Amino acid sequence: PFTNALTRVQAAGIHLTVHAGEAAGPESILDALNHGAERLGHGVRIIEDRDESGWGPTAQQVLSNQVPLEVCPTSNTQTGICRKVAEHPLSTLWSAGFNITVSCDNRLMSRTTTSREISLVSQALCWNRDDALAAQRNALQAAFCSQDDKQSLVPLLV
């Protein structure tokens, strides 16, 4: 239903993030990508696009193109993706090399912050400081701003 609007957004040169792969599965991710999404809000149900032989075609596209997944663990527990952060698909996706960022989604609804989300992930998934910094570097590189702006923000990553 949003094809015309998304086409106009692309034609105007506006960057596009689409919420996909949270309420619906891999088909929503493929639809988002087909409509020009450069980042995926959530995207964690990409985990469903695999079987005993490996990652399916949509997951392979996301992985090979390093499409950023804006993972929001607290929100995902609230929407039923997992019961607790320790069971979050983030661990599998991170290990497989997906481009993961950690975000807070709707911080007022989820009553959390990005710092708290990184802390939760670090504790639940045994991330070290390098893992947390890598996720934040991924987020910075995925930001829709100039390279100069990104470079100026690097020293702020702690």
Side-chain angles (χ1 to χ4, degrees):
F2 300 105
T3 300
N4 290 339
L6 295 175
T7 300
R8 289 176 40 214
V9 165
Q10 281 184 292
I14 298 171
H15 293 287
L16 189 60
T17 299
V18 176
H19 265 229
E22 183 186 38
E27 69 282 355
S28 69
I29 294 169
L30 181 59
D31 186 51
L33 295 173
N34 288 341
H35 284 91
E38 298 169 72
R39 296 188 315 216
L40 296 170
H42 300 289
V44 294
R45 286 187 58 192
I46 197 70
I47 197 85
E48 297 170 16
D49 189 29
R50 69 177 181 156
D51 57 27
E52 62 279 345
S53 65
W55 294 106
T58 301
Q60 288 179 12
Q61 181 179 352
V62 170
L63 185 58
S64 66
N65 292 321
Q66 286 294 283
V67 177
L69 303 179
E70 300 171 352
V71 177
C72 309
T74 296
S75 174
N76 295 155
T77 60
Q78 293 169 336
T79 59
I81 296 295
C82 55
R83 289 178 299 168
K84 54 188 176 180
V85 176
E87 298 170 356
H88 198 285
L90 164 61
S91 182
T92 300
L93 298 172
W94 181 260
S95 296
F98 283 84
N99 186 355
I100 302 293
T101 73
V102 177
S103 303
C104 61
D105 198 17
N106 183 336
R107 66 181 183 83
L108 297 176
M109 293 294 290
S110 296
R111 292 187 284 292
T112 193
T113 63
T114 299
S115 296
R116 181 175 179 272
E117 293 298 281
I118 292 170
S119 178
L120 288 171
V121 168
S122 295
Q123 291 171 17
L125 305 180
C126 298
W127 273 18
N128 60 32
R129 185 175 190 280
D130 290 340
D131 294 321
L133 280 172
Q136 290 311 99
R137 281 189 198 100
N138 290 347
L140 181 57
Q141 288 308 308
F144 296 144
C145 62
S146 72
Q147 281 303 119
D148 286 344
D149 287 342
K150 290 176 187 181
Q151 281 304 114
S152 72
L153 294 170
V154 168
L156 300 178
L157 294 176
V158 291

